[in-house]
Amino acid sequence: LVARFDYYETFPLPESNSPDTDHWGYYNKANNTIHRPLFTYNGVAHTGASRTPSLDAAKSGMLKRIYSVYGGFTEYNYELNSTTAGASGGLRVASVRQATQESDPGQTTSFRYVRAGTNTSSGQSFRTVGNYAYGGNTAFAVVASRNRYECWDIAGPTTGYSRVEERLPNCSYRVYNYTFNTGANTDVRTVPAGTTATQNTTFFPAAPRFGEGGMLTSCVSYDSNGNEVEREAYTYPASPQSKGTVSGNLPLQIQDPTSGATQRYTGRYIWDSRSVLPISVTVSGIDTPNQTMTFTRDGDTLLPVETVTTTATGDTYRTQILYPFHFNVSTVPNSASTADAYAIRVMREDH
């Protein structure tokens, strides 16, 4: 049971429309006066808001501890996201400590976001600042973009990790590997200021923050001596099922590199929403029977309706899963006279 929550309070949080944020929208206490980010274009530095991240400022307001009614607590420690180029803004969990009291060193689980066998960050940027072709061969630069309802800024990168280590208190550890796919299913086009017509010319490449990156491909467990104990491998469909499109607008300002003239645009995003769920999981290990489980999912809800488990010896076990929506209860009375049928009706109405 939870008794209370504590939060980091290094600095008071600013107003919701404050320009003092890093590229991810976290507070950076930079004392900015404008929202447009600082940028360099054609070798010329343009004044603007600093997006340099600050760990102490970014942590302000973040969850610090969860206290139990029995006196113990769980404490969360954070650090800035990073790539090989350095800190990139936003926060990630560095460690989680569980203790019975303040003086108790407790048990700490730590996380390392590094490439195998190195101290180099496994973080990669989905996008970096650059020029984009528009209107033939003319290259324009995005010089301002800010949406207060997104934690993303075109003038700065978002970050994904391909590998994360989870170091457990008993010195054993797990390694998680993730996909990093810079492809995307987003179409970005422009709407000139003062108009409502979306131009047919794509303004810049599709935003890969909507790509199919970040999917867990494997989880490998090791003992305290570094010996592999268990491995889980995940596979995903080559062409994820489309569940529809979502569209939105993002204010942009671009600059002509020749004349220096700037133009205001609305970036029109059309996002093809796709659910990326594993179609199979293979498990192997010292004390774990080798087996592969495949999933068949309902086309509408994407819930698993059948699992097939195949062992290393070739034995196959099939499990079918039924949900309330599989049952026709149109003739079931609104009473509890038939307990099973009535329960199905209630489940369908509630879910």
Side-chain angles (χ1 to χ4, degrees):
L1 298 176
V2 175
R4 77 172 193 270
F5 299 94
D6 276 1
Y7 300 86
Y8 286 97
E9 299 178 347
T10 310
F11 300 110
L13 290 177
E15 298 291 335
S16 60
N17 64 343
S18 169
D20 292 339
T21 64
D22 62 24
H23 288 299
W24 281 40
Y26 285 75
Y27 184 39
N28 69 350
K29 204 175 185 296
N31 297 319
N32 293 315
T33 57
I34 59 176
H35 288 284
R36 186 189 71 200
L38 175 71
F39 69 98
T40 299
Y41 184 51
N42 278 352
V44 179
H46 295 251
T47 59
S50 169
R51 295 283 184 255
T52 302
S54 164
L55 177 58
D56 287 338
K59 286 198 305 183
S60 297
M62 295 295 294
L63 178 64
K64 181 178 182 180
R65 287 183 178 179
I66 301 176
Y67 285 88
S68 166
V69 293
Y70 305 108
F73 60 85
T74 300
E75 183 177 74
Y76 298 87
N77 185 35
Y78 304 93
E79 59 191 13
L80 292 172
N81 282 302
S82 68
T83 66
T84 53
S88 62
L91 294 175
R92 65 192 187 196
V93 175
S95 63
V96 179
R97 171 190 169 210
Q98 292 183 310
T100 57
Q101 57 186 352
E102 196 68 43
S103 60
D104 177 18
Q107 301 288 316
T108 299
T109 298
S110 60
F111 300 88
R112 299 180 70 236
Y113 304 76
V114 295
R115 297 178 182 178
T118 74
N119 289 319
T120 303
S121 173
S122 67
Q124 301 177 66
S125 297
F126 285 103
R127 148 168 284 145
T128 56
V129 183
N131 303 335
Y132 304 98
Y134 178 70
N137 296 321
T138 304
F140 285 78
V142 175
V143 297
S145 171
R146 190 63 180 165
N147 187 327
R148 298 306 305 168
Y149 304 100
E150 296 192 24
C151 59
W152 175 72
D153 192 311
I154 286 180
T158 50
T159 304
Y161 296 96
S162 58
R163 185 178 181 276
V164 179
E165 295 179 6
E166 179 186 18
R167 297 281 173 169
L168 303 173
N170 63 0
C171 295
S172 64
Y173 61 99
R174 301 188 186 98
V175 174
Y176 302 89
N177 292 289
Y178 300 89
T179 59
F180 188 84
N181 184 355
T182 57
N185 47 15
T186 306
D187 184 20
V188 187
R189 301 177 185 275
T190 57
V191 182
T195 75
T196 58
T198 302
Q199 295 188 351
N200 292 326
T201 304
T202 301
F203 176 45
F204 52 81
R209 66 193 178 114
F210 291 130
E212 295 155 14
M215 299 294 105
L216 179 65
T217 59
S218 67
C219 172
V220 186
S221 299
Y222 298 86
D223 63 20
S224 58
N225 295 318
N227 300 311
E228 183 175 321
V229 176
E230 184 177 276
R231 177 181 294 266
E232 298 176 3
Y234 299 80
T235 60
Y236 300 87
S239 300
Q241 178 184 353
S242 174
K243 298 296 290 182
T245 59
V246 179
S247 61
N249 297 322
L250 183 70
L252 305 172
Q253 185 176 355
I254 65 174
Q255 185 178 66
D256 187 317
T258 303
S259 66
T262 60
Q263 302 177 57
R264 296 183 181 275
Y265 284 87
T266 297
R268 182 66 173 173
Y269 286 69
I270 303 175
W271 174 28
D272 182 11
S273 177
R274 301 181 183 183
S275 299
V276 185
L277 298 168
I279 57 176
S280 71
V281 179
T282 299
V283 181
S284 60
I286 297 175
D287 300 318
T288 304
N290 293 6
Q291 59 184 20
T292 298
M293 180 180 293
T294 59
F295 304 93
T296 300
R297 300 182 182 275
D298 178 79
D300 183 33
T301 65
L302 301 179
L303 291 169
V305 293
E306 182 179 84
T307 63
V308 177
T309 302
T310 304
T311 67
T313 58
D315 296 327
T316 299
Y317 302 90
R318 187 182 305 273
T319 303
Q320 291 184 327
I321 306 171
L322 297 178
Y323 299 91
F325 56 76
H326 286 124
F327 297 89
N328 181 4
V329 294
S330 58
T331 60
V332 176
N334 290 313
S335 69
S337 58
T338 306
D340 291 344
Y342 180 72
I344 292 173
R345 172 186 285 279
V346 172
M347 285 191 292
R348 290 197 60 176
E349 290 175 348
D350 289 347
H351 303 284

